Amino acid sequence: CVALANELGKRVGEELHIPVYLYEKAATTAKRKNLSVIRAGEYEGWAKKILDPEWAPDYGPTQFNARSGHTVIGVRPFLIAANMNLNTKSAARAFGVAFDVREKGRVATVDGQPTSKPILGSDGKPQMIPGACK
């Protein structure tokens, strides 16, 4: 799969002239494994970020293109994502819904409250309560 990600990234960069960043198992540096690190600064900050040699794309041009932007291609476990409109302005409630649904779930706490002391396993890591999609 990593070879396919590189092949696709090369084609997108060369044929479509779109900067390509590889992430997760296809990442070319440890810093680019996590998609959120690549996305940091969002679209608005990308014109400056792409000029930093540390953030040169894996494939494609090294200039910011406001029309096409850039893309990421990765090799990772299967993911299904969904956006939902919630009738609340509370970020805590939104995160609560996300943790209840996501496969990984949420950290188990001594009293069940999200901000309470986590329950640790014998390995010292927090125990997880699987989400509805487990």
Side-chain angles (χ1 to χ4, degrees):
C1 289
V2 171
L4 291 174
N6 275 277
E7 183 180 330
L8 178 60
K10 185 174 187 217
R11 286 192 65 191
V12 169
E14 290 176 358
E15 296 175 23
L16 302 176
H17 309 288
I18 295 173
V20 175
Y21 294 84
L22 300 175
Y23 79 108
E24 287 280 344
K25 292 188 182 351
T28 55
T29 68
K31 189 173 191 172
R32 295 184 185 184
K33 280 187 155 310
N34 188 320
L35 181 58
S36 66
V37 172
I38 296 172
R39 293 174 62 180
E42 303 189 9
Y43 179 83
E44 293 78 11
W46 207 261
K48 184 177 178 183
K49 189 174 185 176
I50 198 170
L51 297 175
D52 181 343
E54 188 174 310
W55 285 103
D58 294 301
Y59 296 103
T62 58
Q63 298 87 28
F64 177 70
N65 182 327
R67 186 164 180 232
S68 63
H70 61 280
T71 193
V72 294
I73 297 173
V75 176
R76 53 162 294 141
F78 187 71
L79 169 71
I80 296 174
N83 292 324
M84 298 175 210
N85 292 322
L86 303 175
N87 189 16
T88 183
K89 292 183 179 187
S90 168
R93 285 184 187 240
F95 280 112
V97 169
F99 288 128
D100 287 342
V101 174
R102 72 186 329 170
E103 180 180 6
K104 184 177 179 181
R106 66 171 64 240
V107 173
T109 60
V110 292
D111 64 0
Q113 298 300 311
T115 57
S116 298
K117 183 179 177 182
I119 298 172
L120 303 178
S122 59
D123 59 0
K125 295 181 181 176
Q127 296 294 297
M128 301 298 290
I129 300 169
C133 292
K134 177 66 179 171

